[in-house]
Structures are given as C-alpha cells and as structure tokens.
Amino acid sequence: MKHILIIGATGQIGSELTMELRKRYGNQNVVAGYILGAEPKGELKESGPSAIVDVTDGAMIESVVREYHIDTIYNLAALLSVVAESKPKLAWKIGIDGLWNVLEVAREQGCAVFTPSSIGSFGSSTPHTKTPQDTIQRPRTMYGVTKVTTELLSDYYFNKYGVDTRAVRFPGIISNVTPPGGGTTDYAVDIYYSAVKGEKFVCPVKEGTLMDMMYMPDALNAAIMLMEADPAKLIHRNAFNIAAMSFGPETIFQAIKKHVLEFEMVYNIDPLKQRIADSWPDSLDDTCARNEWGWKPAYDLESMTVDMLEKLRAKLK
Ligand SMILES: NC(=O)c1ccc[n+]([C@@H]2O[C@H](COP(=O)([O-])OP(=O)(O)OC[C@H]3O[C@@H](n4cnc5c(N)ncnc54)[C@H](O)[C@@H]3O)[C@@H](O)[C@H]2O)c1
C-alpha cells in the first residue's frame, strides 16, 4: 500500500491530483500538504488527512513524512512562469532549495519523488517543432532555469543515491476545478470561463502562437502512470516529454465557437507572456514516454472542449 504526500496540494494540479490519488489508493493514505494562506477547502479538506508542509522547511517535511509513513512524494510547490519572472529569488527558493529539502528527506526515508518539469524548461535555441526528448535546454526565464535545475538535481539524486525520482514535462494544463497559478498558458483556461460567462475574451498572446496543452485528466494519469511504471523499462527519468495537443489562440477560439455561437475574442498582447510563449516549443515529441511507460492521452481539443464547457456550465450556473 502506498502512503503519499502531495506538497502544494491546493494548487491547480494538486487539488485534483490529491482527489485522484485518494480514489486510487484510499483516502487515509494520501496527505494533502499545504501552506498557510492556501488551506484545503471542501471535499479536499473533508476527504482525507492534511498537514502544513512548507517546502522551504526540511524539518517540517521530515516530520510529516515520518508521522504518516510516507513512501511517495508528489512535490508540486513552485512559482509559475509569469509570477517567477517578478519574484526570481523566491522562485529559486521554493523550486530548488525546496526540492533539495524534499530530496534529502526522500534519501533518508526511502521515498520516491515526482517533481514536474515543464515545456518552460526549453528556450529559443531548442528545436521548436516535435522537440526531441534529449535536446538543447537553455531557457532565459527564471521558471525555465528552475525547471532545468529540477531535472538535473532529480537525476543526480537517482544516480548518486538511488532515490527513485521520476517526472514529466507538463504542457499547459487546462482544467475547471482550481484556477491556474500565473503561467503563460493560463489563457487557454480563462477562454473557457469567458465563453461560459458570455463575456468577450481578451487574448494576451498573438494569433499563431503555438504551445502544447493537455486536459487535466490526462495530466493526472501521466503523473500516476509514470510513478507506477516498471523501473526496469525506464531509460529516462527526469523528465519525460508528454504531449496531447498543440494549438494557437485562434484554434481554441474556433473550437469553442462551434458550441458557443455568439462567442467573441479580441487580442491585447501581454509582452511578457508573448516573449515567454515565443521561446517555448510549438509541439513536443513524446515517443520516449510512449515507449518506456505506455503514455497515451485520451483527450484532444474537441473532446476537451465539450467536457470543459459542460463542467463549467454546471459549476457557474
Ligand atoms: N499548471 C500548468 O499548466 C503546469 C505546466 C507545467 C508544469 N507545471 C508544474 O506543475 C507543478 C504544479 O503546478 P500548479 O499549476 O498546480 O501550480 P499552482 O501555482 O496552482 O500551485 C502551486 C502550489 O504550491 C504551493 N506553494 C507555494 N509555495 C510553497 C511552499 N513554500 N511550500 C509548499 N507549497 C508551496 C501553493 O500554495 C500552491 O498550492 C509546478 O511544479 C508547475 O511548475 C504546471
């Protein structure tokens, strides 16, 4: 039986990953780690144990790992791309000093660790189309710098100490439970809220700006599948390219407009978001994830759009 700690459990991904893991491994076996000011609420709070876990405090992580006999840590604490550009030092402290703390506890207590990387770990000099698994990673954002370092440090702990670290490079994640935390792909979530609220959508990135995206159920599945994969089959570890769909704003707008006929969109470009988006790949090659642990997404743009609109209509009613 797995005993799991999620650090950053109340964020966009953590709030849904915690519930999915509780469904699969039992409510009592999955601890939702949170920081003050970001407490769990509703079903997330009621359905299982939670504990304050600040990733910058190694002793705090260790005490929760010991108390709940944790064997697997999903470390989701981070500042996302746009926020990290305005607070680079804090982004490093949470993303890298925090990761160091997690890996040290994992080494001492024998835990497996999942710390996601991102399409943000690539930069302008990376091949942008069908970006290979192993390629140039020279990002110029602090988010990207922390993500490349995350990959290297996680591999270091595996190679040197045998800590079972594994991760994926998430694309922009589209979801309808918890709003995104300040990333460059947030527009692809916001656009659905505007459509359902009957508002005109103001798009912050230019027509033709292609980025990889994924619907939350596929993202959760990827994380859990990878952590359950047979280690003997893993040639790579930190971190796997995964992909589901790639589009620009005009394409997602048309996909929504098919179902919301009166929907309108205008552009008002945010220079920071545009600069970051331009430096990221248009589409990733996820062959290694498919071959090494059987990755395969279930949702494309059309099926995601149908589900997003249905869920948001029920939520915002
Ligand atoms: N959402 C996406 O589109 C996306 C894409 C690529 C990668 N990722 C990665 O996935 C992970 C989770 O992202 P998310 O979208 O859920 O982010 P989010 O901003 O929604 O959530 C981050 C969580 O970290 C917590 N946190 C902040 N400081 C902390 C600290 N000191 N100690 C412990 N927790 C702290 C926050 O309270 C929050 O719950 C991050 O590593 C992110 O870089 C996300």
Side-chain angles (χ1 to χ4, degrees), residues 10-13 35 53-55 76 80 116-117 143 147 170-171 173:
T10 57
Q12 186 195 5
I13 297 176
I35 51 172
V53 182
D54 187 324
V55 80
L76 305 179
L80 297 197
S117 185
Y143 184 66
K147 288 304 177 191
F170 279 133
I173 307 299

Side-chain angles (χ1 to χ4, degrees), residues 89-161:
K89 194 170 179 189
L90 185 60
W92 181 272
K93 188 174 173 195
I94 294 171
I96 302 307
D97 296 344
L99 172 62
W100 189 282
N101 292 334
V102 171
L103 291 170
E104 273 299 291
V105 172
R107 178 168 74 86
E108 283 160 9
Q109 305 296 323
C111 304
V113 180
F114 175 89
T115 310
S117 185
S118 160
I119 51 172
S121 68
F122 299 112
S124 301
S125 51
T126 302
H128 272 224
T129 313
K130 285 276 161 206
T131 302
Q133 172 67 38
D134 300 307
T135 185
I136 301 164
Q137 290 181 282
R138 301 289 293 178
R140 291 194 180 168
T141 60
M142 179 46 69
Y143 184 66
V145 170
T146 63
K147 288 304 177 191
V148 176
T149 311
T150 294
E151 296 186 9
L152 293 172
L153 195 57
S154 298
D155 270 347
Y156 181 83
Y157 266 74
F158 171 68
N159 290 317
K160 187 166 171 108
Y161 303 117

